[in-house]
Amino acid sequence: MLLRERETPEGLLVSVCDSDCIGETYTDGGVSLDVTEDFYGGDEAETVDEDTVVESLTRATVANIVGEESVSVAIDAGLVDEAAVLEVGGTLHAQLLWLR
């Protein structure tokens, strides 16, 4: 999984995706999900394990999560409700927002 963290004026923005999702565009009807290198990858992104993803998502203010493995990690850790996960063009997508 690829993990990228950015500090913003609103807090920590975390993006996580399955490595094979980078560069893909998923569509379903009028919904389109672009998994761009600029947002999910780049020099700041790291290849990480499940524990690192969970730790980062726990610290995030907001997170975008794409791919079956990445979303499953968030669900299994109790950070994302499975009922709130979207399936877009054959992949999974979830967003996480902590109100602190």
Side-chain angles (χ1 to χ4, degrees):
M1 292 172 286
L2 288 177
L3 171 73
R4 185 170 178 186
E5 296 183 347
R6 295 178 211 58
E7 283 295 339
T8 72
E10 292 78 24
L12 181 63
L13 169 62
V14 173
S15 54
V16 182
C17 74
D18 294 3
S19 299
D20 61 348
C21 291
I22 288 287
E24 297 291 332
T25 299
Y26 301 94
T27 57
D28 187 5
V31 177
S32 180
L33 175 63
D34 289 324
V35 187
T36 63
E37 178 76 24
D38 285 344
F39 188 78
Y40 290 92
D43 293 337
E44 297 86 11
E46 297 179 75
T47 301
V48 296
D49 62 13
E50 293 180 13
D51 291 337
T52 304
V53 168
V54 170
E55 189 273 329
S56 182
L57 292 175
T58 301
R59 291 184 299 104
T61 303
V62 65
N64 289 282
I65 311 160
V66 178
E68 188 172 328
E69 180 183 13
S70 297
V71 171
S72 293
V73 167
I75 292 169
D76 292 345
L79 300 171
V80 169
D81 183 346
E82 189 171 3
V85 174
L86 300 176
E87 185 172 343
V88 180
T91 197
L92 301 180
H93 174 62
Q95 293 182 317
L96 173 69
L97 173 65
W98 292 110
L99 300 175
R100 298 181 178 160

